[in-house]
Amino acid sequence: MSQTLSINHGEYDFTRFQQAVKTLQEEYGYEGLAWDIVVASDDFEILADFLEADGLHVELER
């Protein structure tokens, strides 16, 4: 199943989970246990929920 994650109204668009994780770590400095759990999930929905809880605008398209 192909998914696209769009962050902050198209500032970033991702179709690959690992690329999203790498970019978000670099750009927003995410780290810590909660982030590690999100990364280990390998799940765009969990990532989207995490980012929304942090105040980012997120759209997940399937």
Side-chain angles (χ1 to χ4, degrees), residues 5-53:
L5 180 69
S6 180
I7 300 170
N8 287 341
H9 306 284
E11 178 181 2
Y12 296 104
D13 291 308
F14 301 104
T15 56
R16 295 181 327 179
F17 184 85
Q18 292 303 321
Q19 185 61 42
V21 165
K22 180 180 177 187
T23 300
L24 293 167
Q25 279 179 293
E26 291 172 359
E27 295 297 319
Y28 291 93
Y30 288 122
E31 60 183 19
L33 181 59
W35 179 248
D36 291 345
I37 292 169
V38 170
V39 172
S41 77
D42 198 33
D43 186 318
F44 265 135
E45 289 183 32
I46 292 172
L47 176 59
D49 288 345
F50 176 89
L51 297 172
E52 283 181 336

